[in-house]
Amino acid sequence: MSLLAPSSPHAHRPLSTSHVMAQVSLATLPALGVLTWLFGWGSLINVMLAVTTAIFAEALILKLRKRPWRILMDNSALLTGLLLGLSITPLAPWWLPVLGAAVAVVVAKQVYGGLGQNPFNPAMVAYALLLVSFPLPMSLWPQPLSLQAEPWTFWEHLTHTFTGSLHAIDGYTGATLLDAFKHKGALTAEEFWLQTPVAQAVLNATTGVSLAYLLGGVYLLWRGIISWHTPVAVLASLLILAAFFYGADPSQYASPSMHLLVGAGIFSAFFIATDPVTSATSHKGKLVYGAGIGILVYVIRTWGNYPDAFAFAVLLMNFAVPFIDYYTRPRTYGHARAQRGIK
Amino acid sequence: MAKIWDFHGGIHPAEHKDLSLQVPLRQAPLPAYVVLPLQQHIGAPARPLVRVGDKVRTGQKIADRQAGISACVHASISGTVVAIEERPIAHPSQMQDMCIVIESDGQDTWVERAPLINWQSANAETLLAHIKGNGIVGLGGAGFPTLSKIQSGRAHQLDTLIINAAECEPYITADDTGIRHYPQELVTGIRILQRILQPQQTLIGIEDNKPDAIERLREATIGTNIEIRVVPTKYPSGGEKQLTYLLTGREVPSGGLPADVGVLCQNVGTLIAVARALVQGEPLVRRIVTLTGHALAAPANLEVRLGTPIDALLRVAQLDPQKLARLILGGPMMGFSLPNAQVPITKTSNCVIAGTLQEFPSAAPEMPCIRCGMCEQACPASLLPQQLYWFSKAKEFDKARLYNLFDCIECGACAYVCPSQIPLVQYYRFAKGEIRKEESEALKAERARQRFEFKQERQAREQAEKAARRQGKTASAVQMEPSVQKAAAPASTETLDLKKLKIQLAAKSVAAKKAQQALTQAQEAGASAEELAELTKTFQNAQQEQAQAQSAIAQATETPTATQSPSPDVAELKKLKIQLAAKSVAAKKAQQALTQAQEAGASAEELAELTKTFQNAQQEQAQAQSAIAQATETPTSTQSQSPDVAELKKLKIQLAAKSVAAKKAQQALTQAQEAGASAEELAELTQVLQEAQQAQSQAQAALEQQQVPKTQHIQAPPKAADAHLKQLSVQIAVKKVAFRKAEQAWQQAHSSQQGDLDVLEAHMLNAQEALHKAQAELATYQAQQSSASNKQVTQDGDQHLLKKRKIAVSVAQAAVRSAQKRLDNLSEIKDTPSEQLAAQQARLASAQAQLAQAQDALAQAASTRTQEIS
């Protein structure tokens, strides 16, 4: 009798990377549903295009790199495509999600060596690239379906996506609420809400989407897939800053609830900033990392050029991750104090 | 309810404890034979007291403890000692170790037991003596001799005794069973320890998943000052460090013991064994073992005689061999898997898991780390497992240490939770092993360095003697030359002679060629090494004769012209040149022979012989060269006015010759390395090279010395101090050269992974030290100088002094740093002897003292300077 003699530990928790990725993907589904319900088929089409492209690009690179196919089963390409598809405007032409997903997988992930090696969040790299390169189609959001007289059918939307022949008439589109608020000019906040009749409807719709993301985030917390540190730090820092400035001048600055519910706040806090590969390691580090994102988002939203800033904030904090990691190491058992930096 | 301090991390693996708790504890049947390893504990193995053929009785001491940390071994059954030999023991590497094998007589006759009747009134020493005499060791898993643990605990200020009943590993129920069946013995054991240690509090730490055991403990401890602390079930709460924190809130310092924070931990099983030893006089011959796993039809806890083969126990538990996929000794988290069951139960074996493939599926393929941080959340030591993983994988061991790799207790919690199925603990074991290896190698290098210092001293002495002898020889040779000349001259006038010589040469050439052919043929035919050696010798002889004939012809041809030449010097020169040519030919031939032998794969001895021949030839060649050089120089030197110049030239020539020799030696070494010569040969060649290099650097030094005074004469008035200074500088230059050479040699050897790296490294370090010493010497000397002539010193000189002092300080700093590093390395290794540590500490202290002195000197210099400036 001779048995295999692997070393300890012999027991293993039945949890795999692909399972983690699948859980995160699953947690986005409520929001995808709400997006489709409130803004039409665009998001679903985006997600399908981005996911297909991402998986195809991953497969291509794996073949080029002569890596085993089982890597494709880790669901990471699926998740990247999904997150990108969700963050792009429902009115996007087909090449936006396709180009974005290809860039995310090939340039932002596989070029660095694949899963676990990329310093920057792939979906956000792609999003930032698209936003900088194609600002117009990227910032054109549809009005909620409730404001549309004749919402597109799925086939109509598909035709629009691929041919662009069905020009979205003016009533269908508009800048995002954050964009509109930013460019309210001399209006006070109160006047803005009064003078922009659709604003309240848009606010309601985005709030619905945000709550759906929150639901998914809570699910991930419950399943222990993510820790609370990053999302709480992101949202808390954002809210604290918003509350401070809103408290100082409510007529000029957006309210904390608007910062929280409009735009990509909750989505990014639970699904983007928690990307394990590109975020800080320790709990303390995650708090610092999340707070950095929240602060940057507020700063860019309020005083910067872009209406929303999660992609840039996350990417900037990705840069800072090694630094954060060096200075937020936990105190090891039996040591008087935590070590900082690296000698 | 007393406070429980929750530790960071931890996991909740499936427990599977009920599997072995279905049936009550029972005695395992007596085995037919037992195999008792002499080392069932941490520390020195026991020394056998019995011989093969001896009759032994149960409980008889059959192996005695050694001094220091050790424990004795007792016969666990009665019968006959049938073997004292190496047997496979329970070890992951299928290691064998010395064991005493006893064949049972089936009687189980006990020796007369010697209980301690009145342990309640006995003093601590008596109690300890009984613990010692009964071979008690920690039964929790590590097997640290209980006597040593208590003694080291007594050396500290202990206030808390902790009884570890947590048993946090899944599957294992041995301690649980022990508590439920022997609560009174456990309490007696605790009271014995209380008597020895006199702790202020005694705490039993037990996980809340053992309600029966907790109830029994409550009943048994009524009326005692023993407190039961129930801790939440969480792996690894049974780790000594974790339990200490859970119950007291004190953290065991890194690299320390619980005793450092006033705590001593003892395992349940150990205390029951202590009680049995003292109250019943029963030495440690049995223990409770959990037999569990789904490949067993009747899992149970058995009281097993030590040395019982595991396969016998598996039969008792009705193993289904078809189902068995993994056999684990210990728990599923920290136990190790056994390749087979033919190994004995020892004092530390608490659990045997016969697992099925469903229970323990083969490891899934390792996926890339996604830095999810689950490992960090699980780590009970608050480490960053994923960072340690990256560093271990990239072999960045310095960083791994910086991230406290050695605080990892290898509990496996990180690997358990890792979604990418990375075997993290394996990476840490690898890194730890590599670091320990590096440290032991550093230690070895240090020892080699010391050895080398002695050797070098000896070699330097021999070299000096040799040089002296050689000088004497060349002098006599120069005197002899003219007479040879005269003798050769008359004979050479006849051309007939020349012809004869030429014919001789042709014959010799033919002979040489034939010998070579024969050798080649033999090589191709695959002749035996001896034959080859013989043929090679013939070939070499032939070549030598050929070379001799050639030189004879050359002499004959040259002499006529020599007679015509006006100066006898020129003739001599020619002759020397001929000699050189002959020697060169011989050297080249020897080299060829060596290369051939290497290609033919000759034996190491042959190669060594050939190498020696080659080296001799080279040496001769070099000598011839230097002789020529001397001869060439002498005429000019007579013309020159200054004898100094002549000497200088001579030295230069010598240097050139030595350089040639060194280069040749290096070539030989490189060739040998490429040919893949054996380590010894390489070492020999390296030595030759080093000698040559040394000779070269000596020559260089001599030359520089010669040059220095000359320039001094011209430029400056002779000053003894200056000369000494120069000498020191020259020394430094020489040492620098030596160091650089040593470094090169080491690098070469390192990159080719050949040769004795230890020796080379030691040599390099040695050279470096010598260099530093020389620098320091210079610095001190200059300091003395400047202080002597303090009044006349200009500011410039002061600045110079300052710089020197600074150098001295930095040299001292470097020394301190290296001493500190070595000390750190030593102290990281757990079982470094304390004397060694102390010695290293002393070394560090002296280095620090030197540094302080140097800094003082620097400060003084600085202050003098500022004073002068102001």
Side-chain angles (χ1 to χ4, degrees), chain A residues 63-83:
Chain A
K63 187 161 175 59
L64 284 176
R65 291 180 64 205
K66 299 187 176 63
R67 294 295 153 121
W69 285 112
R70 64 176 161 78
I71 293 180
L72 207 56
M73 299 298 131
D74 65 17
N75 290 332
S76 63
L78 167 84
L79 182 60
T80 302
L82 191 58
L83 294 177

Side-chain angles (χ1 to χ4, degrees), chain A residues 1-3 5-10 12-13 15-17 116 276-277 279 281-283 329 331-335 339, chain B residues 241 251-252 254 326 332 335 337 339 369-371 376-377 381-382 386 402 404 407 415-420 426 429:
Chain A
M1 182 179 76
S2 193
L3 302 162
S7 75
S8 68
H10 306 281
H12 198 278
R13 179 166 65 164
L15 180 72
S16 62
T17 302
V277 177
S279 72
T281 308
S282 66
H283 287 164
R329 285 155 58 187
R331 183 184 64 85
T332 307
Y333 178 101
H335 287 255
Q339 280 154 305
Chain B
K241 292 177 171 182
E251 281 187 19
V252 181
S254 173
R326 201 180 295 192
S337 40
C369 169
I370 54 166
R371 295 169 36 100
E376 191 223 333
Q377 289 163 41
S382 299
Q386 66 179 22
L402 195 66
N404 303 323
D407 285 298
Y416 175 81
V417 298
C418 178
S420 292
Q426 275 186 42
R429 288 196 188 111

Side-chain angles (χ1 to χ4, degrees), chain B residues 84-234:
Chain B
I84 301 176
E85 61 185 21
E86 297 221 317
R87 288 282 180 111
I89 57 162
H91 192 273
S93 69
Q94 284 186 283
M95 196 171 82
Q96 301 214 337
D97 202 5
M98 277 313 256
C99 298
I100 297 177
V101 185
I102 303 171
E103 203 173 76
S104 174
D105 57 9
Q107 304 298 314
D108 196 25
T109 346
W110 277 76
V111 288
E112 200 175 319
R113 304 189 197 194
L116 189 60
I117 316 272
N118 275 325
W119 65 263
Q120 287 93 339
S121 54
N123 63 15
E125 272 58 43
T126 318
L127 297 172
L128 282 174
H130 272 77
I131 288 172
K132 173 172 147 188
N134 285 300
I136 313 282
V137 305
L139 299 189
F144 198 80
T146 305
L147 171 77
S148 309
K149 193 165 183 178
I150 295 174
Q151 277 176 339
S152 78
R154 285 178 89 199
H156 290 76
Q157 288 285 315
L158 280 191
D159 57 25
T160 306
L161 173 64
I162 289 179
I163 317 308
N164 188 346
E167 203 165 49
C168 57
E169 276 244 27
Y171 284 94
I172 310 178
T173 53
D175 285 349
D176 187 5
T177 309
I179 296 168
R180 285 190 289 131
H181 285 80
Y182 304 112
Q184 284 312 321
E185 272 142 312
L186 173 59
V187 170
T188 308
I190 295 172
R191 286 171 64 199
I192 291 168
L193 247 73
Q194 282 180 323
R195 195 163 165 74
I196 300 172
L197 294 165
Q198 305 290 337
Q200 284 158 26
Q201 55 174 353
T202 305
L203 311 171
I204 301 180
I206 184 164
E207 278 191 347
D208 58 10
N209 59 358
K210 304 174 194 51
D212 281 4
I214 294 168
E215 195 49 43
R216 290 294 156 79
L217 279 177
R218 289 241 155 86
E219 288 161 13
T221 52
I222 290 170
T224 65
N225 58 352
I226 303 168
E227 289 174 51
I228 298 164
R229 297 273 174 90
V230 180
V231 299
T233 300
K234 178 163 95 169

Side-chain angles (χ1 to χ4, degrees), chain B residues 692-707:
Chain B
Q693 282 174 337
Q694 225 167 28
Q696 188 190 352
S697 50
Q698 274 175 0
Q700 212 168 8
L703 177 61
E704 276 175 55
Q705 251 177 350
Q706 183 65 28
Q707 279 174 328

